[in-house]
Structure formats: structure tokens, C-alpha cells
């Protein structure tokens, strides 16, 4: 496994026709595992809110919480570049200093920051790119501003708007676009149109790469997952079994054994 890959090297995979793999991590042990398993990119998503903090909305995590988790992840990821999700408060409300907040993520070891589409997004991307920080755009379903979940871009009008947003983000300097929860026909068109890689989540196979929430593919929590998630393991089940075995051992007096005891 090579020492460290740059974000630029990952982006260049599109030109070579190689698929890009990205998964989320929110802590040090998971970052180490993903890194060793060879994923191209690790995303500290603001899905942190729902996935590990038990909150209802991604808008409920701010800079302090994101930075706390980002630092744990960058300490664990030695090879794969880490991307930080800019939380809502970092760039959307009037007066938010997007550039200073993006800098804090870079100082914490991130290779790039991700911003979700909203009106005003292009200006934010240009400002962050203006100080030399790499940016990933996010279109389609954008949970920070979405009133409802579900598929976007089914109507011609909405599909056209999403294509235009992706093009505008590329023109503003985004090095990569994440597209969430759209029909595969639309992703195919956007992937063919853009020069930068398009990474899908619930967007079908015609993308330059895929991203999913790691806790979803490992069944690490009990939340209901969307149709586009493939379960690769039942780690939650393994944990339950192990914890029940520990509890039974302690209750029976079988743990600790001689081998776990100082004499
Ligand atoms: O917050 C997140 O985890 C994300 C991905 C699912 C793309 O934005």
C-alpha cells in the first residue's frame, strides 16, 4: 500500500477510467480500517449527526463538533485523503466565514472540503478556491436544506437544474462532485458532461465512483437505510453477540479467568 495519495491523484483516476471509492468515517479506529482496506477517499460527513450522535438533522452539527471528529479521522488516515463536510453553520447563514472555516479543516489535516448546493454556493466555492483549498460540490438531494428526503431530478425541469448546478460548481473550481439520490439516466449525463469526477450515492452505476455511509453498509446502527444501501456485513449483530457472551461470562463468574488475572 503506498504511503500517501494526494487528492489530485484520486481525481486523476477519472481520466484513466478507474472507479473512485469513498466511505464515511467519524472516528480514529474506523479511519484506520478504511485506510488499510484501501478506499481512495475518506469523508467526514455531517451525516455524523444522524449516524453517530443520534440527532435528527445534519444541520444540528456545527464547526466544533465536526473539527473534533475530523481530527480523530485525520490522525488515523495515513494514506487516503480526508474530505470534511462543511456543516451548515460554516458557510450558509449570512455572515458565516466560509474561507476561515475551510482553513480550519485544512489545518486539521483535510485535503478538501465539501459543500452542498444552495443559492449562493458558487460564490462560496470561488472564495474557498481563491485561497487554494480544494472543494467538492454536492448536488441532487442536499440534506442541509432539503425539506423532504427522496429522489431528486425525476422531472425534466429538476434534472436540468441539477445538471446546471453541477456545471456551475465545476466552473467555480470544484475538483469533484457528489450526486445524491437521482435517477441513473441523469447521473450518466452529468458524468459524461463534466471533466471532474462525479461520485454517486443512490445515483446508479454510471458515475466515476461511489460513496456510502460506512455504518449503513456494516449494519452498525439500527436506523432504516435507503434502497441504495448495500449491506456488506452485520457488524452490529457481531457486537451484540460478543457483548451478550461477555455479560453471561461475568454473571456466571467465568470472567476474568486465570489468564486475565495478576498474581
Ligand atoms: O454527510 C454525508 O455523509 C454525505 C455523504 C453521504 C455523501 O454527505
Amino acid at each position: 500500500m503506498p504511503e500517501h495519495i494526494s487528492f489530485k491523484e484520486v481525481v486523476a483516476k477519472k481520466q484513466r477510467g478507474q472507479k473512485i471509492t469513498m466511505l464515511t468515517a467519524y472516528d480514529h479506529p474506523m479511519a484506520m480500517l478504511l485506510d488499510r482496506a484501501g478506499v481512495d477517499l475518506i469523508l467526514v460527513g455531517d451525516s455524523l449527526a444522524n449516524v453517530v450522535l443520534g440527532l435528527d438533522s445534519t444541520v444540528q452539527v456545527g464547526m466544533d463538533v465536526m473539527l473534533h471528529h475530523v481530527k480523530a479521522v485525520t490522525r488515523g488516515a495515513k494514506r487516503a485523503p480526508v474530505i470534511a463536510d462543511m456543516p451548515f453553520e460554516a458557510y450558509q447563514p449570512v455572515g458565516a466565514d466560509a474561507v476561515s472555516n475551510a482553513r480550519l479543516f485544512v489545518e486539521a489535516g483535510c485535503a478538501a472540503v465539501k459543500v452542498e448546493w444552495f443559492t449562493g454556493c458558487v460564490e462560496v466555492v470561488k472564495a474557498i478556491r481563491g485561497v487554494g483549498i480544494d472543494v467538492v460540490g454536492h448536488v441532487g438531494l442536499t440534506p442541509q436544506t432539503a425539506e423532504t428526503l427522496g429522489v431528486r431530478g425525476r422531472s425534466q425541469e429538476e434534472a436540468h437544474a441539477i445538471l446546471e448546478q453541477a456545471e456551475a460548481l465545476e466552473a467555480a473550481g470544484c475538483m469533484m462532485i457528489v450526486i445524491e439520490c437521482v435517477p441513473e439516466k441523469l447521473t450518466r449525463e452529468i458524468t459524461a458532461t463534466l471533466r471532474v469526477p462525479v461520485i454517486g450515492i443512490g445515483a446508479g452505476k454510471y458515475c466515476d465512483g461511489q460513496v456510502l455511509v460506512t455504518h449503513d453498509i456494516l449494519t452498525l446502527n439500527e436506523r432504516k437505510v435507503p434502497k441504495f444501501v448495500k449491506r456488506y456485513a452485520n457488524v452490529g449483530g457481531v457486537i451484540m453477540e460478543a457483548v451478550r457472551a461477555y455479560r453471561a461470562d461475568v454473571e456466571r463468574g467465568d470472567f476474568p479467568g486465570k489468564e486475565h488475572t495478576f498474581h
Side-chain angles (χ1 to χ4, degrees), residues 77-90:
K78 302 283 177 241
R79 183 194 49 80
V82 175
I83 299 172
D85 237 345
M86 292 275 274
F88 181 85
E89 75 162 26

Side-chain angles (χ1 to χ4, degrees), residues 57-113:
S57 156
T58 58
V59 176
Q60 289 172 273
V61 292
M63 279 303 293
D64 287 356
V65 173
M66 283 300 294
L67 275 169
H68 177 74
H69 286 266
V70 157
K71 285 176 189 167
V73 169
T74 54
R75 280 194 287 267
K78 302 283 177 241
R79 183 194 49 80
V82 175
I83 299 172
D85 237 345
M86 292 275 274
F88 181 85
E89 75 162 26
Y91 67 114
Q92 294 212 38
V94 177
D97 188 349
V99 173
S100 304
N101 286 324
R103 273 206 183 100
L104 291 175
F105 285 128
V106 172
E107 282 161 18
C110 290
V113 296

Side-chain angles (χ1 to χ4, degrees), residues 24 26 43 45-47 85 114 116 138 178 180 201 211 213:
T24 60
Y26 316 101
L43 172 68
D46 60 2
S47 53
D85 237 345
K114 176 165 84 60
E116 289 185 11
H138 182 151
V178 167
E180 181 164 354
I201 171 162
V211 57
V213 168

Side-chain angles (χ1 to χ4, degrees), residues 7-57:
F7 183 51
K8 274 200 179 63
E9 284 173 81
V10 176
V11 167
K13 287 182 98 173
K14 173 160 183 160
Q15 264 60 55
R16 296 198 294 273
Q18 294 171 332
K19 293 277 189 189
I20 296 168
T21 53
M22 173 152 77
L23 281 171
T24 60
Y26 316 101
D27 61 31
H28 186 259
M30 189 62 83
M32 285 180 72
L33 287 168
L34 300 186
D35 205 39
R36 278 200 266 142
V39 293
D40 291 310
L41 295 167
I42 297 177
L43 172 68
V44 188
D46 60 2
S47 53
L48 165 70
N50 321 99
V51 178
V52 297
L53 300 181
L55 298 168
D56 294 333
S57 156

Side-chain angles (χ1 to χ4, degrees), residues 67-219:
L67 275 169
H68 177 74
H69 286 266
V70 157
K71 285 176 189 167
V73 169
T74 54
R75 280 194 287 267
K78 302 283 177 241
R79 183 194 49 80
V82 175
I83 299 172
D85 237 345
M86 292 275 274
F88 181 85
E89 75 162 26
Y91 67 114
Q92 294 212 38
V94 177
D97 188 349
V99 173
S100 304
N101 286 324
R103 273 206 183 100
L104 291 175
F105 285 128
V106 172
E107 282 161 18
C110 290
V113 296
K114 176 165 84 60
V115 299
E116 289 185 11
W117 176 266
F118 72 106
T119 30
C121 190
V122 164
E123 295 318 310
V124 168
V125 171
K126 282 184 182 164
I128 300 173
R129 285 294 303 131
V131 296
I133 297 174
D134 289 337
V135 187
V136 175
H138 182 151
V139 297
L141 174 63
T142 46
Q144 289 177 356
T145 47
E147 276 166 25
T148 55
L149 298 178
V151 182
R152 300 296 194 265
R154 277 214 168 109
S155 71
Q156 251 196 344
E157 201 186 4
E158 205 179 20
H160 186 68
I162 295 171
L163 170 62
E164 280 191 344
Q165 290 162 9
E167 286 181 315
L169 289 175
E170 180 182 63
C174 281
M175 303 267 289
M176 182 176 276
I177 302 293
V178 167
I179 184 162
E180 181 164 354
C181 228
V182 301
E184 67 173 7
K185 184 169 170 275
L186 174 59
T187 318
R188 194 175 197 171
E189 188 184 354
I190 295 179
T191 304
T193 306
L194 299 193
R195 280 171 292 105
V196 300
V198 176
I199 310 297
I201 171 162
K205 65 178 179 181
Y206 299 108
C207 319
D208 301 302
Q210 299 288 332
V211 57
L212 282 172
V213 168
T214 303
H215 286 56
D216 290 346
I217 69 166
L218 299 181
T219 325

